[in-house]
């Protein structure tokens, strides 16, 4: 650890926070400390950081905006990388938008609508970053990132900066090439279409109203916990099994939407994991379906 401190303190990699608790950086409000949290502000700092970590075989994890993930109670060993505000820029050019990897996907969808550009309406309720959305091919309301993706600049785990086009991304349901080829999206370009501002606004308002009525937006959650099985819905299966409202420790299966797990105030990662395992076992026994989590579990167990 002392060697890491010397390496990172002497390098131009952005802010470095040691033994930093991660709960305040996640939407579940759960998570132990990172050995170090590094916040680069530009591509050069990020590339230097990753090259340094690679050269010294220091493991690293990207945090993003902290949604769709569960950080263990013991925290994460090695370096945790969170893109700084320098990665939240955006620019519109005709029907394309270029957005930094750290920019809120919700914010980008709102900005696009105000420009009279259609294609990002589906993203208005996905509480992640642009980079995270590309990584997992985020989607909702019958659309996803792959349908509008044009290209992305990515820093690979060697520190090399590359540009991937859509054909390079191996997009599939909640999947991209970045699941196999580790890297961080610094910015992405999306191809949108001119549309009627009122119609775009109406669609987004409709999606927002539906979320408000069906999802526990005021609670600490990480979004949908499980993927929808082919031809069915995870929430329906969980509710049918009578699991709504089940609580373990401070974690509770939402009474409003059965595919959400709420942190009622003092939930630990182990509480959430116990609920996830109970759901998996119950549905497997009752329906013969293997429920696949959408959330990523990070850190030391």
């Amino acid at each position: 650890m002392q060697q890491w401190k010397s390496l990172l303190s002497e390098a131009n990699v952005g802010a470095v926070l040691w033994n930093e608790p991660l709960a305040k950086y996640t939407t579940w409000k759960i998570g132990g400390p990172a050995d170090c949290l590094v916040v680069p502000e530009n591509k050069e700092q990020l590339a230097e950081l990753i090259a340094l970590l690679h050269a010294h075989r220091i493991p690293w994890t990207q945090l993003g905006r902290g949604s769709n993930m569960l950080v263990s109670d013991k925290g994460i060993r090695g370096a945790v990388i969170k893109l700084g505000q320098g990665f939240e820029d955006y620019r519109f050019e005709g029907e394309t938008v270029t957005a930094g990897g750290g920019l809120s996907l919700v914010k980008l969808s709102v900005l696009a609508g105000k420009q009279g550009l259609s294609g990002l309406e589906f993203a208005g309720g996905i509480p992640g970053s642009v980079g995270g959305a590309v990584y997992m091919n985020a989607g909702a309301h019958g659309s996803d990132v792959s349908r509008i993706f044009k290209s992305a600049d990515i820093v690979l785990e060697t520190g090399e900066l590359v540009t991937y086009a859509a054909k390079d991304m191996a997009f599939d349901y909640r999947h991209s090439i970045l699941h196999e080829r580790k890297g961080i999206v610094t910015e992405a370009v999306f191809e949108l279409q001119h549309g009627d501002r009122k119609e775009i606004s109406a669609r987004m308002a409709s999606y927002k109203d539906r979320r408000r009525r069906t999802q526990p937006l005021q609670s600490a959650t990480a979004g949908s916990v499980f993927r929808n099985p082919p031809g069915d819905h995870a929430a329906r299966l969980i509710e049918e099994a009578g699991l709504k409202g089940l609580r373990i420790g401070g974690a509770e299966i939402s009474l409003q939407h059965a595919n959400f797990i709420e942190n009622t105030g003092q939930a630990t990662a182990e509480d959430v994991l116990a609920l996830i395992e109970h759901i998996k076992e119950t549905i497997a026994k009752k329906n013969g379906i293997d429920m696949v989590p959408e959330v990523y579990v990070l850190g030391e167990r």
Side-chain angles (χ1 to χ4, degrees), residues 53-95:
L53 297 174
H54 178 72
H56 292 273
R57 298 183 180 180
I58 300 171
W60 60 268
T61 305
Q62 185 183 8
L63 187 61
R65 298 183 73 85
S67 62
N68 205 48
M69 62 176 59
L70 178 65
V71 175
S72 76
D73 300 313
K74 293 182 179 180
I76 300 177
R77 306 288 69 81
V80 174
I81 302 172
K82 179 175 175 58
L83 299 183
Q85 291 184 352
F87 291 93
E88 295 182 12
D89 291 340
Y90 60 88
R91 63 184 182 274
F92 291 93
E93 298 173 291
E95 292 189 323

Side-chain angles (χ1 to χ4, degrees), residues 3-157:
Q3 181 190 16
W4 297 10
K5 289 187 177 182
S6 297
L7 287 169
L8 294 176
S9 63
E10 294 171 5
N12 178 27
V13 296
V16 182
L17 305 173
W18 297 96
N19 200 37
E20 179 72 1
L22 296 176
K24 61 184 176 182
Y25 298 100
T26 69
T27 59
W28 242 328
K29 306 302 181 187
I30 293 171
D35 285 341
C36 65
L37 176 68
V38 189
V39 187
E41 292 293 343
N42 55 54
K43 292 180 184 179
E44 292 72 28
Q45 288 186 345
L46 178 62
E48 181 174 343
L49 169 63
I50 292 183
L52 184 66
L53 297 174
H54 178 72
H56 292 273
R57 298 183 180 180
I58 300 171
W60 60 268
T61 305
Q62 185 183 8
L63 187 61
R65 298 183 73 85
S67 62
N68 205 48
M69 62 176 59
L70 178 65
V71 175
S72 76
D73 300 313
K74 293 182 179 180
I76 300 177
R77 306 288 69 81
V80 174
I81 302 172
K82 179 175 175 58
L83 299 183
Q85 291 184 352
F87 291 93
E88 295 182 12
D89 291 340
Y90 60 88
R91 63 184 182 274
F92 291 93
E93 298 173 291
E95 292 189 323
T96 68
V97 57
T98 302
L103 182 66
S104 159
L105 192 64
V106 171
K107 181 176 180 178
L108 183 62
S109 70
V110 171
L111 290 167
K114 290 180 178 179
Q115 292 284 327
L117 292 171
S118 178
L120 270 164
E121 293 93 325
F122 75 90
I126 299 176
S129 65
V130 166
V134 171
Y135 172 84
M136 68 172 294
N137 188 23
H141 307 294
S143 190
D144 59 33
V145 164
S146 71
R147 301 192 184 201
I148 57 172
F149 181 88
K150 188 174 182 181
S151 66
D153 288 348
I154 300 166
V155 177
L156 299 177
E157 61 181 333

Side-chain angles (χ1 to χ4, degrees), residues 26-296:
T26 69
T27 59
W28 242 328
K29 306 302 181 187
I30 293 171
D35 285 341
C36 65
L37 176 68
V38 189
V39 187
E41 292 293 343
N42 55 54
K43 292 180 184 179
E44 292 72 28
Q45 288 186 345
L46 178 62
E48 181 174 343
L49 169 63
I50 292 183
L52 184 66
L53 297 174
H54 178 72
H56 292 273
R57 298 183 180 180
I58 300 171
W60 60 268
T61 305
Q62 185 183 8
L63 187 61
R65 298 183 73 85
S67 62
N68 205 48
M69 62 176 59
L70 178 65
V71 175
S72 76
D73 300 313
K74 293 182 179 180
I76 300 177
R77 306 288 69 81
V80 174
I81 302 172
K82 179 175 175 58
L83 299 183
Q85 291 184 352
F87 291 93
E88 295 182 12
D89 291 340
Y90 60 88
R91 63 184 182 274
F92 291 93
E93 298 173 291
E95 292 189 323
T96 68
V97 57
T98 302
L103 182 66
S104 159
L105 192 64
V106 171
K107 181 176 180 178
L108 183 62
S109 70
V110 171
L111 290 167
K114 290 180 178 179
Q115 292 284 327
L117 292 171
S118 178
L120 270 164
E121 293 93 325
F122 75 90
I126 299 176
S129 65
V130 166
V134 171
Y135 172 84
M136 68 172 294
N137 188 23
H141 307 294
S143 190
D144 59 33
V145 164
S146 71
R147 301 192 184 201
I148 57 172
F149 181 88
K150 188 174 182 181
S151 66
D153 288 348
I154 300 166
V155 177
L156 299 177
E157 61 181 333
T158 58
E160 178 187 5
L161 179 62
V162 298
T163 300
Y164 282 177
K167 62 182 177 61
D168 304 314
M169 292 299 295
F171 283 126
D172 202 346
Y173 181 75
R174 304 298 177 263
H175 178 273
S176 77
I177 191 66
L178 296 176
H179 288 231
E180 290 81 44
R181 193 171 300 169
K182 192 173 183 181
I184 294 179
V185 174
T186 63
E187 67 177 23
V189 182
F190 301 112
E191 190 74 50
L192 307 177
Q193 294 180 332
H194 285 295
D196 183 274
R197 282 184 176 83
K198 290 184 179 179
E199 292 180 1
I200 294 170
S201 178
R203 277 195 294 275
M204 293 185 71
S206 174
Y207 294 158
K208 184 176 182 179
D209 180 64
R210 180 180 173 186
R211 289 192 304 275
R212 188 184 297 112
R213 287 185 287 104
T214 62
Q215 298 177 10
L217 300 181
Q218 304 307 313
S219 300
T221 76
S224 296
V225 175
F226 293 97
R227 295 182 181 183
N228 287 326
D232 211 332
H233 293 279
R236 189 197 70 79
L237 291 167
I238 297 167
E239 183 170 359
E240 185 185 60
L243 297 179
K244 255 188 173 184
L246 179 66
R247 180 183 291 203
I248 295 179
E252 180 179 270
I253 299 174
S254 174
L255 288 167
Q256 191 169 5
H257 192 302
N259 198 23
F260 282 63
I261 292 177
E262 300 180 28
N263 177 357
T264 62
Q266 300 296 324
T268 65
E270 289 303 313
D271 293 340
V272 174
L273 287 170
L275 269 185
I276 289 174
E277 286 305 310
H278 183 76
I279 292 169
K280 284 174 61 68
E281 291 172 4
T282 301
I283 302 302
K285 183 176 180 180
K286 184 176 186 300
N287 304 91
I289 295 173
D290 180 23
M291 299 286 279
V292 179
E294 277 193 337
V295 296
Y296 299 96

